[in-house]
Amino acid sequence: MGELERLMEGNGRYLSAPSQKDFVKMRSETANGQSPFAIVLTCSDSRVPPEHIFDAGIGEIFVVRTAGNALDSIALASIEYAAEHLHCPLIAVMGHEKCGAVKAAWEAGEAPAPTKSLAKLMKAIAPSVGKAKKKGADMESAANFNIKAQMRAILRKSPICKHLASEGKLTVVGLKYSIESGKVEQVK
Ligand SMILES: [Zn+2]
């Protein structure tokens, strides 16, 4: 089974019958090393917990979370570690419906952000918001553009990921989570 299928199957279990986890066994099996099958870059939103959403146990998914699943240099270094040293073959960038970070960027428009850190976050999402507004599309479209923008940013900013992807050892996919239905869908 491919890694993306494995994530989607996990999401299917989350929606119907999440598996019983033997954390004691999982801890002992992973105590001497980890080999997660997927890297998940997703939003910090408390309603978007990746381990639950993919019905994953300990050591299965390598999770990086930032507001708006925005890529910064430390998030990228974390992803590179998992891709290069843990040989994780899949990066899933997962956005979600009703994302507060996207909404903030949508509402801020060109207005200056009140803090430097928030300005960085808004800057990361602004191009996707601008693209959606230009097309007359809605905020959810901006969230989808943002997923794709962060996917591209990984390959553009990381020579390591770009190299692994060119060798067929790494795939980057986009996903979107519905906080109402619990369903994950691919964003193409
Ligand atoms: Zn969010």
Side-chain angles (χ1 to χ4, degrees):
M1 196 196 316
E3 288 75 26
L4 179 59
E5 289 71 29
R6 205 170 153 188
L7 283 178
M8 291 307 201
E9 275 208 3
N11 182 239
R13 288 194 304 277
Y14 164 69
L15 291 169
S16 53
S19 58
Q20 284 293 319
K21 310 271 185 301
D22 186 344
F23 288 122
V24 174
K25 185 166 169 262
M26 286 178 159
R27 274 204 305 273
S28 77
E29 281 171 355
T30 55
N32 294 318
Q34 56 170 326
S35 84
F37 71 89
I39 300 163
V40 180
L41 170 63
T42 192
C43 185
S44 301
D45 192 306
S46 63
R47 300 166 297 177
V48 187
E51 280 86 352
H52 289 301
I53 291 167
F54 296 116
D55 191 37
I58 293 169
E60 293 189 304
I61 56 176
F62 189 97
V63 176
V64 179
R65 293 177 76 172
T66 62
N69 36 276
L71 189 77
D72 67 5
S73 54
I74 296 176
L76 184 58
S78 308
I79 289 169
E80 286 176 331
Y81 171 75
E84 189 176 31
H85 297 284
L86 304 178
H87 311 293
C88 235
L90 181 76
I91 301 173
V93 177
M94 183 169 74
H96 67 101
E97 281 175 354
K98 301 178 184 176
C99 182
V102 174
K103 187 167 181 268
W106 183 275
E107 287 170 356
E110 303 292 309
T115 64
K116 263 190 186 175
S117 49
L118 190 58
K120 275 195 177 176
L121 176 59
M122 294 298 100
K123 196 181 165 199
I125 302 174
S128 302
V129 164
K131 194 172 171 184
K133 285 186 176 176
K134 208 172 161 189
K135 285 176 182 274
D138 63 3
M139 218 171 67
E140 290 305 329
S141 303
N144 292 2
F145 288 140
N146 180 49
I147 292 164
K148 289 191 238 174
Q150 304 310 325
M151 288 167 66
R152 286 193 301 271
I154 292 169
L155 295 172
R156 191 179 65 245
K157 293 178 178 174
S158 169
I160 291 170
C161 292
K162 196 177 174 184
H163 177 71
L164 288 167
S166 73
E167 287 194 321
K169 292 175 180 167
L170 182 69
T171 306
V172 185
V173 297
L175 303 174
K176 194 169 186 191
Y177 175 68
S178 166
I179 57 172
E180 279 178 38
S181 73
K183 206 169 162 31
V184 173
E185 278 175 356
Q186 202 170 346
V187 175
K188 286 183 179 168

